[in-house]
Amino acid sequence: MTGKHPLSAASRARVSTGRLVGGLLAGVVLAAVVVPEPAAPAPGSVSGTRTATASTSVYRVMPNDPTAVVLGSEQFPVHGDGVGDDTAVLQAAIDEASRRGGQNWLGNIVGGSRDVTVGDGGGVVFVPEGRYRLSRTVDLHASVRLIGFGAKRPEFYLGENTPGFQDGNSSFLFAALRRPYQPGTPRTFGNNDTFGTGLINVDIRIGPGNPAAVAVRFSGAQMFLLQDVDIHVGDGYAGIDHNANLIQRVNVYGGAVGLLAYAASPGWQTTVLDSSFVGQREAAVRLHTDSKLSLIRDRFADAPAGIVATPGQAQRLYVQDSVFENIGGAAITLNDSESIPASSEPELVRAQNQLNVVNTGVAGAGALLTTLPSGRTWTGPGPSYLVSDATLGLRVTDALGDNERRSDEVFVAARPAASASFARLLRSDIPLPPDSGGWVNIVEYAARKGVTVGTGTSDDHAIFQQAIDEHDTVHVPMGRYLIGDTLRLRPHSNLIGLHPRQTWLVLPDGDPAFADPDRPKAMIQTPPGGANYVVGLGLDSARQTPGSVHVHWRSGAHSHLADVTTQFVKWHPEQTEPGDPGPGDPGYAYRGRHKYSFWVQGGGGTFANIWSVAGWADNGFLVEDTAVRGRMYEVSVEHHEHREVVMRRVRNWELHALQTEDHIYGWRSQAVELEDVHDVLFGNTVFFRVATVLGPYPYAVGVKDSSGIVIRGTRGYRPDNVANTRWGATIADVVTGRSVPELDVAYLAVGVTGPPPAPAGAVAGLDQPEITVLPGRSGGTELRVRNDGPGPLTRLSVTAEPPAGWQASAGANVERVPVGGTVSVPVEVHVAGDAETDQSIRLVVSFTRGTHRQSLPLTLRVRVTGENLARGAAVQASSVLSANVAANAVDGNRTGARWISGSTDPEPTLTIDLGQPAELFRLDLYSGVTGSDALRVRAFRVEALVDDARIPIGAVEQNTASPVRVALAAPDRVRVLRLVFTEPSPTDGLARVFEVEVYGIR
């Protein structure tokens, strides 16, 4: 057994670089273990001056933070060798980090209500390089972040054949929980009031013999972060189950499924950025409830299926700048919109089924898209192609214009492209963090100057500004820092925190410097064109600061602002509704005054995982006067009075997974305002109205003097319009009054000039994707192929692969299909006479386009029993005992109520009218007494009633089984049949029948 041990002196120096000040980490003992470099099939993305490859450690040196818990310290000694069990120590460290956050109340939102007696702001556990064997589920309490450091990432390892990970498919290694650490309280998963949890810069490996293992269960509402993680699932079940907010630079290898995707609480999007899913046994991603995934710069490879939706679910799926390689079936499989259940408002419900694929490479995949159950399949023009634009769902072109058009057909525009060219699609626009070995800790820096910071009472602005002026990268440990003036960053300044709910810059309340709304003043300001990197901070503009701005961003295209939140407060009137706010409803602490939250003026760059929820500001995110490239990923803007997002005089921006939300009093809060905005993309948006909102609003997006506005994917629908829960329209021109009233739109373009994209590729589908053919008989359907170009299809053929003993064939080859042409190929099936189970026949459509041969797989489902024609049919009995009526024999229940014949009826009968003539195949009879083999029907015959004649078509003698199966030798078409019970019972002469099932084809 391996003992727990400290680092060597040399290793300890390498980890901490000797920057231990004032006993900050006195007594820390760390266990350093070299982890073998994992075999990673694919490199990650390239960004800035640092290259992210699989398992790159982005934090090589541990950032010092007195509030953080350090795994491997004297309080939390570990083995770290992959042999000794470190589960209990890791759990204790996480418990302690949560306990510290519960005591300091920093970033608290729900603490003090909803049965939470401590603060819910969480904390940080630093994990040094090493290999940590785990043997049971580790609970990641609300808002706790595990952050690895070292030359190599630390690895959490589930040992081989670990008990508890063998059965089912939901044995989690890490589970993000809803609440902070409170011993004795119920254990529930993260929900719509869980914020800030993270797994960062760590790897996870599932050892062999754990088929039920899932690496991470990761659900929550805001500020969740799964970042810089490699997950080696092996023969385990899945890498990630549930999802929230931002999954970035995560690579999942192996497993049955890479990601089991669900709607993030409470129905928001999840952005998966710069990640990969490779080598899964079933599918790279499986979509469950409306997952609303934004998949950007992701790679899906070496799996039988790419992204697959569970049956009956609508999906809003957005894919951009990604690559599908070596996928056995379709890259994407969704449901036919018409197949999605909708008890009310079916058109509105089914409009939620949306797909966008933009600038994405496909190579070696069976097809681009298949929809089920129809099996309709779309592919691009060649074995390797770039999809410029593909949509499923409502497509509105020239919206608000004179030539507005609508279509709900699947649209695919693509061109042939070499797979080698796809590498450029995966190049990231997001820089890696600066080397942590060069960070300057503001607490240590201030101490060297004889200054104490983070008291929360004295102004820390001067020492902060001095550190920023002297050093490129300033690290802010967790705490509360009073900032009485603007922090002005230099062109290459970086300001880094590691937990936005525990690291707060706060304005002095009522500070006159922030009092003039006509002269907005920022807490943080960046210079024009700067390459700044600002992450991991909470910004609190206090209560009465009418001129305050959280961030005034003027940086250039290579800058980055991420993982930043504001204080949580909702705009509300002076007089609220009786009983409101209710117990546990956060956000009503004060009535305040602020100017802006995030103000981008003349700048750009990348913005990710931002939560703008200071509702007393004029708006939550303002972008103006810029043509600098800007990209937003997973930004939430909520609870303002009038406007959430405002853009004025802006060009060349993309806003991905933007989510807005009003609240009960926010009914006047417009989601987006655009004025003089051009060439801007909104990808996978959620414009949300709560069920309790008190008033209507005419539109979600208002535009004026704007062009080139493209909205790809929206959520605006809510079921059954109770009160004012729906927008009046998705978008409106505030000058002309024109609007697009549909609330769920896959593609909507305003003022987009130039020729529309031309469709390309081929579409194949069966007239009947499922046919019924009785054993020993033949049947068929038509397969149709449409050519959308470019160029003709030649030498088109269809091959069929039937099960053993069956026969299947397709019509003659087609020599040429012109662009725009459709051909029909008959498919014939002969079912073996002894067939008893339904089967599928694989069809392969092959054709040549140019010099390339392509194959397109489809599936024809064949039912061999037909349907139960007797269920619910009209039935008459020759006699009935008490209340055991004849209808019980055709009610669809094989074990419930029965028909029982009368005691004086020696040869009872049941006559069943099937409603219309049918081709019959088999009859199944369930009889007797529940739980007993006695009293089953012993003998009966089946007669067809044809032209007043009774024709015997089947019989049973000496029966002891239930059910008993009877092959029917019926005439071609039978409507009425009769069962004659010649020996109803072995003892008392009563026929006891639970159910009669008659199988055939109408």
Side-chain angles (χ1 to χ4, degrees):
M1 181 173 180
T2 305
K4 302 179 182 180
H5 55 276
L7 282 170
S8 66
S11 296
R12 191 162 54 247
R14 174 174 54 80
V15 170
S16 66
T17 66
R19 296 186 295 114
L20 304 183
V21 177
L24 184 65
L25 290 177
V28 169
V29 181
L30 303 175
V33 178
V34 176
V35 181
E37 187 70 36
S45 54
V46 177
S47 58
T49 58
R50 300 183 67 200
T51 301
T53 57
S55 206
T56 295
S57 178
V58 298
Y59 301 125
R60 299 177 64 84
V61 175
M62 185 183 79
N64 293 334
D65 192 324
T67 307
V69 173
V70 181
L71 192 69
S73 63
E74 288 185 345
Q75 186 179 357
F76 301 100
V78 292
H79 301 89
D81 57 3
V83 179
D85 190 344
D86 289 321
T87 311
V89 177
L90 176 61
Q91 187 63 70
I94 293 170
D95 294 350
E96 175 61 16
S98 182
R99 187 192 65 79
R100 293 180 186 183
Q103 286 185 336
N104 67 32
W105 289 85
L106 287 173
N108 178 67
I109 295 178
V110 299
S113 61
R114 303 188 185 185
D115 298 321
V116 182
T117 59
V118 297
D120 71 337
V124 166
V125 177
F126 285 133
V127 183
E129 180 181 334
R131 198 177 202 217
Y132 304 92
R133 186 171 74 82
L134 304 179
S135 61
R136 57 180 170 82
T137 300
V138 175
D139 289 341
L140 201 55
H141 302 301
S143 204
V144 170
R145 292 187 169 189
L146 260 61
I147 304 177
F149 70 94
K152 295 180 179 179
R153 292 183 197 156
E155 179 181 271
F156 295 108
Y157 171 65
L158 179 64
E160 297 184 17
N161 304 303
T162 299
F165 292 88
Q166 278 69 51
D167 299 322
N169 55 17
S170 58
S171 296
F172 307 118
L173 190 56
F174 286 92
L177 300 189
R178 183 180 185 185
R179 295 298 185 224
Y181 177 61
Q182 295 179 108
T185 57
R187 178 181 179 272
T188 56
F189 295 122
N191 208 324
N192 62 346
D193 53 5
T194 313
F195 317 101
T197 306
L199 276 171
I200 301 164
N201 200 47
V202 299
D203 289 344
I204 301 172
R205 187 179 297 271
I206 295 172
N210 298 292
V214 178
V216 184
R217 213 277 190 186
F218 200 68
S219 58
Q222 301 285 3
M223 306 303 294
F224 268 53
L225 186 60
L226 194 63
Q227 186 180 66
D228 295 301
V229 179
D230 281 6
I231 302 174
H232 298 265
V233 188
D235 63 6
Y237 183 65
I240 307 167
D241 185 322
H242 285 71
N243 41 276
N245 306 127
L246 185 60
I247 298 173
Q248 182 182 17
R249 297 191 295 266
V250 172
N251 303 298
V252 181
Y253 305 114
V257 181
L259 168 63
L260 300 165
Y262 293 80
S265 290
W268 304 153
Q269 313 96 310
T270 296
T271 297
V272 183
L273 198 61
D274 299 327
S275 297
S276 67
F277 300 85
V278 178
Q280 280 71 48
R281 300 188 300 275
E282 296 178 7
V285 178
R286 181 172 294 146
L287 309 174
H288 289 268
T289 53
D290 182 10
S291 311
K292 303 184 191 70
L293 292 185
S294 287
L295 305 174
I296 301 174
R297 296 190 299 272
D298 297 323
R299 180 173 178 260
F300 309 89
D302 306 330
I307 302 168
V308 179
T310 53
Q313 291 285 343
Q315 297 292 340
R316 296 176 181 85
L317 177 63
Y318 186 93
V319 184
Q320 180 175 322
D321 300 332
S322 293
V323 176
F324 294 90
E325 295 179 289
N326 302 322
I327 304 297
I332 300 169
T333 301
L334 300 179
N335 295 308
D336 298 313
S337 295
E338 58 269 25
S339 75
I340 293 167
S343 57
S344 64
E345 305 181 301
E347 291 185 1
L348 293 176
V349 171
R350 290 165 184 163
Q352 299 175 91
N353 203 38
Q354 302 169 13
L355 169 68
N356 276 275
V357 182
V358 183
N359 199 40
T360 288
V362 180
L368 171 65
L369 171 66
T370 294
T371 61
L372 297 177
S374 73
R376 290 188 293 264
T377 299
W378 291 259
T379 189
S384 179
Y385 51 91
L386 181 72
V387 180
S388 59
D389 180 4
T391 58
L392 178 154
L394 179 61
R395 188 178 178 101
V396 183
T397 56
D398 194 31
L400 311 180
D402 294 335
N403 297 305
E404 187 173 279
R405 296 288 185 272
R406 284 164 172 75
S407 172
D408 57 6
E409 298 292 323
V410 170
F411 176 84
V412 177
R415 62 175 176 81
S419 59
S421 68
F422 296 160
R424 63 178 177 79
L425 300 173
L426 303 178
R427 294 184 185 129
S428 183
D429 55 8
I430 295 180
L432 292 175
D435 186 350
S436 59
W439 296 4
V440 172
N441 184 303
I442 187 62
V443 175
E444 299 171 3
Y445 176 87
R448 290 195 294 269
K449 302 292 185 181
V451 177
T452 300
V453 296
T455 65
T457 56
S458 60
D459 190 347
D460 297 329
H461 172 267
I463 196 70
F464 262 83
Q465 189 63 59
Q466 185 176 349
I468 290 168
D469 291 343
E470 294 178 5
H471 299 279
D472 282 346
T473 303
V474 175
H475 168 228
V476 186
M478 292 181 287
R480 188 175 186 271
Y481 305 88
L482 203 62
I483 303 296
D485 202 351
T486 301
L487 295 178
R488 292 178 170 83
L489 274 56
R490 297 179 296 116
H492 294 283
S493 291
N494 307 309
L495 195 59
I496 296 178
L498 293 174
H499 198 320
R501 298 192 65 207
Q502 283 285 300
T503 311
W504 287 92
L505 306 183
V506 184
L507 289 183
D509 198 21
D511 190 322
F514 295 88
D516 188 352
D518 294 326
R519 300 181 64 186
K521 186 176 179 62
M523 298 177 68
I524 297 174
Q525 184 181 70
T526 64
N532 307 104
Y533 186 94
V534 178
V535 299
L537 300 174
L539 304 175
D540 187 340
S541 55
R543 299 188 175 193
Q544 299 300 325
T545 54
S548 66
V549 177
H550 290 97
V551 178
H552 186 196
W553 194 263
R554 301 182 294 173
S555 302
H558 300 292
S559 61
H560 186 55
L561 177 68
D563 201 29
V564 174
T565 186
T566 67
Q567 72 265 41
F568 183 93
V569 63
K570 301 176 181 179
W571 179 91
H572 57 276
E574 188 169 357
Q575 182 62 49
T576 60
E577 293 290 299
D580 192 68
D585 191 2
Y588 294 90
Y590 62 87
R591 302 189 75 251
R593 292 184 65 197
H594 312 119
K595 186 61 176 176
Y596 304 137
S597 288
F598 295 91
W599 180 20
V600 180
Q601 187 182 41
T606 52
F607 307 82
N609 208 28
I610 292 172
W611 193 16
S612 178
V613 66
W616 291 103
D618 284 3
N619 57 67
F621 211 109
L622 169 64
V623 185
E624 60 182 3
D625 300 312
T626 185
V628 178
R629 184 181 188 271
R631 299 293 184 268
M632 289 171 54
Y633 304 105
E634 196 71 25
V635 173
S636 173
V637 187
E638 301 179 327
H639 305 321
H640 297 81
E641 180 184 9
H642 291 295
R643 294 165 297 183
E644 306 292 353
V645 176
V646 177
M647 305 182 81
R648 303 171 183 143
R649 302 173 295 280
V650 175
R651 290 180 180 273
N652 191 28
W653 272 58
E654 293 183 6
L655 296 86
H656 294 285
L658 170 66
Q659 171 254 315
T660 67
E661 182 186 8
D662 54 27
H663 62 292
I664 180 172
Y665 304 110
W667 61 272
R668 294 174 296 183
S669 184
Q670 179 181 327
V672 178
E673 177 186 291
L674 306 176
E675 182 176 356
D676 194 9
V677 172
H678 308 275
D679 303 324
V680 168
L681 167 67
F682 292 84
N684 196 22
T685 61
V686 169
F687 303 134
F688 189 73
R689 304 207 90 204
V690 299
T692 55
V693 68
L694 294 179
Y697 201 85
Y699 46 80
V701 181
V703 299
K704 178 181 180 182
D705 301 330
S706 299
S707 65
I709 309 301
V710 176
I711 299 176
R712 288 185 175 271
T714 63
R715 177 196 178 186
Y717 167 74
R718 284 187 62 97
D720 300 322
N721 192 16
V722 177
N724 306 288
T725 60
R726 297 179 189 165
W727 301 100
T730 290
I731 192 169
D733 186 318
V734 299
V735 177
T736 67
R738 288 179 171 175
S739 68
V740 174
E742 293 90 348
L743 301 180
D744 285 85
V745 181
Y747 175 92
L748 186 155
V750 176
V752 174
T753 58
V763 186
L766 293 159
D767 285 359
Q768 296 171 280
E770 180 177 277
I771 61 175
T772 300
V773 184
L774 300 182
R777 303 181 190 181
S778 299
T781 186
E782 294 286 321
L783 187 155
R784 301 181 191 276
V785 180
R786 187 183 77 218
N787 177 23
D788 287 337
L793 304 182
T794 59
R795 298 170 50 218
L796 185 147
S797 63
V798 180
T799 58
E801 301 174 9
W806 293 31
Q807 297 176 11
S809 62
N813 294 352
V814 178
E815 286 303 315
R816 188 175 187 276
V817 184
V819 176
T822 299
V823 296
S824 178
V825 178
V827 178
E828 295 292 331
V829 177
H830 180 79
V831 174
D834 59 354
E836 293 186 354
T837 59
D838 300 343
Q839 298 281 356
S840 293
I841 295 176
R842 186 172 187 262
L843 304 172
V844 180
V845 181
S846 300
F847 51 81
T848 299
R849 189 189 298 276
T851 59
H852 296 291
R853 191 72 177 163
Q854 283 183 261
S855 294
L856 197 59
L858 286 86
T859 299
L860 173 62
R861 300 182 299 277
V862 182
R863 298 182 61 189
V864 300
T865 58
E867 60 179 310
N868 176 15
L869 305 176
R871 182 171 181 173
V875 59
Q876 291 182 341
S878 59
S879 63
V880 171
L881 180 65
S882 187
N884 300 289
V885 297
N888 293 340
V890 291
D891 64 359
N893 190 339
R894 296 169 173 174
T895 59
R898 297 170 294 177
W899 165 66
I900 302 178
S901 63
S903 58
T904 60
D905 190 351
E907 196 172 78
T909 63
L910 277 177
T911 302
I912 302 173
D913 187 339
L914 302 177
Q916 55 183 291
E919 185 178 359
L920 304 185
F921 162 57
R922 192 184 79 220
L923 182 147
D924 294 352
L925 183 80
Y926 295 78
S927 68
V929 177
T930 302
S932 172
D933 294 339
L935 303 179
R936 289 175 178 161
V937 169
R938 292 295 299 277
F940 67 95
R941 69 175 180 271
V942 184
E943 300 173 341
L945 274 62
V946 180
D947 298 328
D948 297 326
R950 298 174 180 173
I951 304 173
I953 59 175
V956 171
E957 300 289 342
Q958 301 298 315
N959 175 56
T960 59
S962 179
V964 58
R965 181 170 291 178
V966 186
L968 300 179
D972 286 345
R973 311 293 285 174
V974 174
R975 172 174 172 170
V976 180
L977 52 81
R978 188 173 77 148
L979 282 73
V980 182
F981 296 93
T982 54
E983 190 175 352
S985 164
T987 57
D988 60 7
L990 299 182
R992 296 171 174 85
V993 176
F994 286 108
E995 194 71 15
V996 178
E997 296 177 351
V998 180
Y999 290 94
I1001 308 171
R1002 295 192 190 278

